[in-house]
Amino acid sequence: MHAVAEPIRHRTLRSYLLEAKYEFLHLLRTPIFALPTILFPALFYLLFGVVLNSGNEDAARYLLATYGAFGVMGAGLFGFGVTVAIERERGFLTFKRALPMPPGAYLLAKMAMAMLFSAIVSLLLGALAFLLAGVSLQPGQWALLLVVDMLGALPFCALGLFIGTLVGGNAAPAVVNLIFLPMAFLSGLWLPLTMLPDVLASAAPAWPAYHLGQIALTVVGMDDDTALVVHVGVLAVVTVALFVLARARLARTG
C-alpha cells in the first residue's frame, strides 16, 4: 500500500511542478506581458533612483523598496487579471476541469508564475541599486527584501483573480490599469506620501499596495511608525478574502 501511495504522491507533485513551469514559460514568451512586467520597474528606477537622484542614497533606497512593490503588483494583477479573464471567456477553464490534474493546480501554477516574475523584478532592481545607485544593505536585508517581494505578489494575485472573474478578456487590461496605476501612485510607491496632498496621503492605508510598500521599507530601514503586524495582517486578510470571493465566482460562472 505504501509503495503504491509513494508513486501517486510523486505524480501529483510532478503535475503541480509541470503546470507551474509551463505557465511561467507561456508568459515569459508573451512579450506584451513579460517585457513591461520585468523592464518597467527597472526603467523607472534607473530614471528616478539613479539619474534624477544621483548621489542621494536615501532616495535610491526608498525607491528600491517601493518600485519592488510596484513591480510585483504588475506581476500579480496582470498575470491573473488578464489571463484568467481571457481563459475564462474562451472556455479554457472548463477544459482544464476536464483534465486529470490535481485540484488547485491551475491557480497554484499562476501564483508560482507571479512569484517567479516578482523574483526577477526584485533581483534586477537590487542589481541596479547596488551597482549604479550605491545602495548598501546587509546580506540579510537583501535576502529578506527578495522574500517580501515574492510573497507580496500574492495579494495582487488574489485581486487580479477576482477581476478576472468579473470582466471579459477585452475589458480586463483596461480595468486592471485603472486599478494598478492609481493604486501605485496613491500608495506612495512612486514618490513619498509627504509630497502628496494631505487628503490623499491620509487615505493611503486603504490601498493594499501601501502596506506592501511599508513592509519593504521596513526591510531597508525607512518604514513609518505603524507596527509591522498591521501591514502583514491587512495583506493577509485582503489575500484570503479576495481568493475566497474569486473561487466562489469561478464555481458559479466557470
Side-chain angles (χ1 to χ4, degrees):
M1 190 72 177
H2 177 75
V4 174
E6 191 64 32
I8 291 176
R9 285 197 295 269
H10 176 74
R11 288 197 299 269
T12 300
L13 177 61
R14 186 170 183 272
S15 297
Y16 281 116
L17 292 176
L18 284 175
E19 186 73 14
K21 172 187 174 181
Y22 291 125
E23 180 68 25
F24 175 72
L25 290 176
H26 164 63
L27 288 179
L28 186 63
R29 294 166 180 168
T30 305
I32 198 172
F33 172 81
L35 292 180
T37 299
I38 295 172
L39 296 182
F40 278 5
L43 292 174
F44 288 157
Y45 188 79
L46 279 173
L47 177 60
F48 296 105
V50 177
V51 177
L52 296 182
N53 283 290
S54 178
N56 187 341
E57 200 266 345
D58 283 345
R61 197 151 41 99
Y62 180 95
L63 293 174
L64 168 64
T66 59
Y67 278 143
F70 171 65
V72 307
M73 283 175 62
L77 284 171
F78 287 97
F80 265 82
V82 176
T83 61
V84 169
I86 292 173
E87 290 167 0
R88 182 175 60 87
E89 190 173 65
R90 294 177 178 175
F92 187 67
L93 297 188
T94 303
F95 171 73
K96 280 284 191 180
R97 290 193 184 103
L99 296 176
M101 59 190 297
Y106 172 78
L107 293 181
L108 288 174
K110 287 190 176 297
M111 290 165 60
M113 170 276 302
M115 293 175 70
L116 285 172
F117 272 100
S118 297
I120 294 171
V121 169
S122 184
L123 291 170
L124 181 56
L125 286 174
L128 294 174
F130 179 74
L131 297 172
L132 301 181
V135 172
S136 178
L137 299 175
Q138 295 297 318
Q141 289 177 290
W142 289 112
L144 186 56
L145 190 60
L146 174 63
V147 172
V148 166
D149 285 340
M150 291 179 68
L151 294 179
L154 296 180
F156 305 99
C157 291
L159 178 56
L161 178 62
F162 185 61
I163 293 170
T165 66
L166 293 175
V167 300
N170 290 332
V175 172
V176 169
N177 272 309
L178 285 174
I179 296 172
F180 173 50
L181 298 177
M183 187 192 303
F185 177 74
L186 295 172
S187 298
L189 302 187
W190 290 354
L191 71 170
L193 291 173
T194 53
M195 299 178 67
L196 296 180
D198 290 343
V199 65
L200 297 180
S202 62
W207 300 99
Y210 164 81
H211 298 282
L212 178 58
Q214 291 304 315
I215 294 173
L217 287 169
T218 299
V219 174
V220 301
M222 303 183 72
D223 60 312
D224 63 9
D225 295 327
T226 305
L228 182 62
V229 67
V230 174
H231 300 306
V232 174
V234 169
L235 291 178
V237 169
V238 167
T239 302
V240 173
L242 288 174
F243 266 128
V244 169
L245 290 173
R247 286 296 299 270
R249 280 195 55 82
L250 283 175
R252 292 198 306 270
T253 65

